[in-house]
Amino acid sequence: MTLVLTDVVLTYPDGDHTLTALDHVSLAVAAGEFAAVVGPSGSGKSSLLAVAATLITPDAGTVVITGQDVSRAGRTARTNVRRDHIGIVFQQANLLPSLTTLDQLLVMAHLAGQSPRTASVRARELLLAVDLGGKEHKRPHQLSGGERQRVNIARALMNGPEVLLVDEPTSALDHHRGEQIISLLAELTRNNGLATVMVTHDLATLAMVDTVLTMSDGSLTEGAATQVV
Ligand code: ADP
Ligand code: MG
C-alpha cells in the first residue's frame, strides 16, 4: 500500500475544550487506486488530506507514505517527503499570477533540484497529458477555470509523486468541466500508478472512482452514505 493511515486522531483547540476532527481514522490506498471521500461540510475531510499530506502532525496514529513512517518525522523530513512523494491539488488553483503555464511547473522542478532540461521535457509531456498543449506561454488570467485547475494538476505531478491528494477540485467549475477534471484524475491515477485520494461533493462523478469512503463527524467508513451533503 502506498498510503497508509492507521488509527489517526487529530484534535484542534476549541476554546476551553478540544474539537476532534479525526477520530481513529484508518485508510489504505494502493498504487493505481482512485479513492473518493465524501461527507458533510465540517466532517473532517480536509483535515484528513492535511494529515496525509504531512502538513499537520496528528495527535495519535501513524501515517506511512511509500513505506516511510512520517507521523513523528521532523519538519525537514516531512517537507522532503511532501516534495518528493506527494502531489497536492486544492480547491483553488493557487497559481503564481505572473508566471506562464510552463514556468508554474518548472518552479516545482527547480525546488526539487531537477535539471532544467529534464524538467522542461517532463513539463511539456505533462501539459500534453492534461490537454494544455499550446497553452505553455499563457498566464493564469488568460486561462479558464478548468484550464487553471489542469495546470494545478500537472504541477502537482511534476516531481513524480506516488501519492496524489485532491480537495474538491471541481467546486469552482460547472458540472461538465468538473466531470472532465475527475475523468482526467482517474486516467492519471491509472497511467501513473498513483495512490489518489480526492475529496468531492460531486456525487455524479463517483462512478469514475475505485473506492468511495464517507467521512462523518471525524469517522471514516467505506461506502457512500445515502445522506452525504
Ligand atoms: P471538511 O473538509 O469536511 O469540511 P474540515 O477538516 O475542514 O472538514 O474540518 C473539520 C472540523 O475541524 C470542523 O469542525 C472545523 O471547523 C474544524 N477545523 C478545521 N480546521 C481547523 C483549525 N485550523 N482550527 C480549528 N478548528 C478547525
Ligand atoms: Mg474541506
Side-chain angles (χ1 to χ4, degrees):
M1 288 285 167
T2 306
L3 170 68
V4 185
L5 273 65
T6 308
D7 235 0
V8 166
V9 176
L10 176 70
T11 62
Y12 295 114
D14 181 26
D16 297 340
H17 303 87
T18 57
L19 184 154
T20 303
L22 298 175
D23 191 3
H24 298 276
V25 166
S26 297
L27 167 71
V29 187
E33 180 178 356
F34 190 12
V37 178
V38 297
S41 178
S43 59
K45 304 180 300 296
S46 294
S47 298
L48 172 71
L49 290 191
V51 167
T54 78
L55 291 166
I56 303 182
T57 299
D59 301 38
T62 57
V63 179
V64 177
I65 289 162
T66 61
Q68 191 179 346
D69 186 345
V70 293
S71 7
R72 299 288 163 287
R75 194 187 166 88
T76 309
R78 282 187 289 123
T79 304
N80 289 343
V81 165
R82 205 179 307 132
R83 185 193 61 203
D84 296 336
H85 301 288
I86 305 175
I88 303 176
V89 174
F90 288 146
Q91 195 167 345
Q92 300 297 331
N94 270 325
L95 301 174
L96 298 161
S98 62
L99 293 190
T100 65
T101 297
L102 188 61
D103 285 341
Q104 311 277 353
L105 273 62
L106 294 180
V107 165
M108 298 304 286
H110 178 71
L111 293 175
Q114 287 182 37
S115 85
R117 181 181 292 262
T118 313
S120 172
V121 170
R122 175 154 181 89
R124 287 172 196 279
E125 279 173 6
L126 276 171
L127 290 175
L128 285 179
V130 300
D131 204 17
L132 284 176
K135 307 269 177 175
E136 291 89 342
H137 304 296
K138 303 280 185 204
R139 291 185 165 75
H141 73 272
Q142 298 170 304
L143 299 172
S144 71
E147 287 171 342
R148 282 198 288 271
Q149 195 56 290
R150 280 184 278 144
V151 176
N152 198 15
I153 291 166
R155 182 176 60 174
L157 298 179
M158 194 55 201
N159 293 337
E162 291 90 349
V163 174
L164 181 63
L165 303 171
V166 190
D167 201 351
E168 305 201 21
T170 65
S171 53
L173 306 176
D174 66 44
H175 179 70
H176 177 64
R177 301 269 173 214
E179 261 196 358
Q180 288 180 334
I181 292 289
I182 312 267
S183 145
L184 172 67
L185 287 167
E187 185 187 313
L188 292 169
T189 297
R190 269 143 222 159
N191 293 349
N192 298 283
L194 302 170
T196 299
V197 182
M198 171 184 69
V199 168
T200 184
H201 268 112
D202 195 348
L203 302 187
T205 60
L206 294 183
M208 288 189 265
V209 309
D210 301 311
T211 314
V212 180
L213 303 149
T214 298
M215 184 70 91
S216 172
D217 221 358
S219 295
L220 192 64
T221 48
E222 188 132 350
T226 42
Q227 195 87 42
V228 286
V229 186

